[in-house]
Amino acid sequence: MTASPVPSIRSWVADAIQSIEADFNRSSDAHLLHVPLPGVRGVALYLKDESTHPTGSLKHRLARSLFLYGLCNGWIGPRTTIIEASSGSTAVSEAYFARMLGLRFIAVMPRATSAEKIAEIAFYGGESHFVDSAAAMYEESARLAASLGGHYMDQFTFAERATDWRGNNNIAESMFSQMASEEHPIPAWIVIGAGTGGTSATLGRYIRYRRLPTRLCLADPEASVFHRHLADRSVRAVAGPPSLIEGIGRPRCEPSFIPELIDRACTAPDAASIASARVLSRRIGRSCGGSTGTNLWAAAEIIAEMEARGEKGSVATLLCDSGERYRSTHLDDAWLAQRGIDISAATAIMERFFETGIFTTPDESRG
């Protein structure tokens, strides 16, 4: 009788899972930062700093979960080529785990992805495969996986199911545990952007599972489809120029996005996201990426409303990744000027919010 190859593959999978778990145990939990708001009296703002993960972003959690999900489902073996569609950060984190397991990794990304992210993928041994638009990533990733006999990780489908939303030190359990000793330990609101929708699903499910009164706000770029889908479920895609804020906002409604878990949506123009990230970076002494700016813009709207009503409480959101990943884009004034992006008005609005607690949109400011 011919010996079955299954035991050797099972042994490799067991070793791979052990390696990922060991990496998890070596990594300290992401810090929870209290953000000073000089002009706000009754509401506290907190940032969970996901840039402290080994690969520098919130997507480290997702990549770890997707690899464990693929391994435990029998989709990933010792010679599997890993393919992913990504705007950059997930690909950086997946390249890290692929190198850990000795697997080839190919990221399928828009050509406009920041040079810093492309360099980080290469640092971890990953390869970059470019497409002309974000909408082309999905089909090209599936084609590559089929032609190479590899596995398409498909974060946009599997993000919401790869993470154990009931606990296991996921981002929700971690955030609420860290806030337990604060003056207002149960946030009135958590503000979160959506790229895959996996993190908003984890937070929304955990809030309901723990029977918490916290509400969930989607912070969404103006060009994204998600806030449109929340308003009208028949809207599942949007045409036009994409958002410049990498990692959140999508042209199509992704399978992992669960709208029923979202209580409200706040939108941000790209200029507002970039301006808010810059203001926050100066205020807390940590470099912040554009998606963190989107979160802050939405959080400011909510906090100002609470303050105006005389409410007391807390609002929590995420510092998704470092602005250093956007040194050649969002942090470059010449890059902004080439695209006709003026952040001066949004910068003034955000500075005013910090100093007075008053938040007005550009239209309201002119009115």
Side-chain angles (χ1 to χ4, degrees), residues 17-347:
I17 292 171
Q18 182 179 21
S19 296
I20 293 173
E21 291 295 294
D23 178 80
F24 172 74
N25 289 330
R26 289 193 300 269
S27 304
S28 61
D29 198 2
H31 302 156
L32 185 72
L33 310 177
H34 176 244
V35 180
L37 299 175
V40 177
R41 295 180 181 275
V43 186
L45 174 62
Y46 297 88
L47 280 176
K48 191 154 177 60
D49 185 2
E50 295 293 299
S51 71
T52 59
H53 288 294
T55 54
S57 83
L58 167 67
K59 300 299 185 180
H60 192 85
R61 294 179 187 270
L62 174 59
R64 180 172 60 222
S65 294
L66 287 169
F67 266 92
L68 290 172
Y69 194 67
L71 288 163
C72 292
N73 279 324
W75 299 339
I76 299 174
R79 288 175 292 278
T80 304
T81 296
I82 306 297
I83 317 291
E84 183 61 288
S86 172
S87 62
S89 286
T90 302
V92 171
S93 299
E94 288 185 359
Y96 170 90
F97 286 108
R99 184 178 73 170
M100 178 187 298
L101 304 184
L103 301 176
R104 183 186 181 190
F105 175 76
I106 303 173
V108 179
M109 301 183 297
R111 296 186 193 281
T113 301
S114 72
E116 290 82 0
K117 288 182 180 178
I118 296 168
E120 287 188 72
I121 292 167
F123 174 80
Y124 291 120
E127 305 166 37
S128 294
H129 181 92
F130 298 106
V131 292
D132 291 328
S133 69
M137 295 191 304
Y138 318 97
E139 184 177 348
E140 182 62 9
S141 296
R143 186 196 68 78
L144 265 181
S147 66
L148 296 172
H151 171 57
Y152 172 27
M153 293 286 260
D154 195 0
Q155 59 169 322
F156 297 104
T157 295
F158 296 110
E160 58 88 6
R161 64 197 75 172
T163 300
D164 184 356
W165 46 268
R166 286 162 292 226
N168 194 26
N169 197 37
N170 65 34
I171 192 169
E173 183 179 58
S174 173
M175 179 183 289
F176 280 96
S177 296
Q178 288 174 319
M179 289 200 63
S181 298
E182 301 299 322
E183 182 180 3
H184 303 288
I186 305 298
W189 286 91
I190 292 176
V191 177
I192 180 70
T196 63
T199 302
S200 61
T202 298
L203 286 162
R205 287 165 168 166
Y206 185 87
I207 288 167
R208 285 159 177 74
Y209 179 61
R210 294 298 181 188
R211 303 176 300 282
L212 300 169
T214 303
R215 288 172 289 177
L216 195 61
C217 173
L218 173 70
D220 208 28
E222 280 188 344
S224 173
V225 72
F226 290 133
H227 63 275
R228 294 175 170 85
H229 180 68
L230 286 172
D232 181 353
R233 295 294 197 271
S234 69
V235 178
R236 303 198 62 84
V238 62
S243 170
L244 298 174
I245 309 304
E246 296 177 15
I248 60 171
R250 302 297 303 160
R252 74 171 196 180
C253 198
E254 304 296 349
S256 275
F257 181 69
I258 304 177
E260 290 79 9
L261 300 177
I262 307 296
D263 295 294
R264 72 178 279 183
C266 295
T267 60
D270 287 349
S273 295
I274 294 168
S276 298
R278 289 190 177 194
V279 171
L280 181 62
S281 297
R282 292 193 293 269
R283 291 273 177 170
I284 66 174
R286 276 177 164 81
S287 184
C288 305
S291 59
T292 302
T294 311
N295 289 341
L296 178 61
W297 188 260
E301 182 175 338
I302 288 174
I303 291 169
E305 291 173 358
M306 292 175 65
E307 187 81 348
R309 292 191 296 263
E311 297 177 11
K312 296 186 181 298
S314 59
V315 173
T317 188
L318 305 183
L319 196 169
C320 304
D321 63 2
S322 170
E324 296 307 308
R325 286 187 167 174
Y326 311 94
R327 180 63 61 185
S328 64
T329 55
H330 298 169
L331 296 183
D332 184 350
D333 289 338
W335 185 89
L336 295 180
Q338 288 171 2
R339 287 154 182 79
I341 300 173
D342 181 0
I343 64 171
S344 58
T347 298

Side-chain angles (χ1 to χ4, degrees), residues 356-367:
T356 68
I358 297 170
F359 177 82
T360 54
T361 66
D363 288 340
E364 290 169 336
S365 295
R366 286 192 292 269

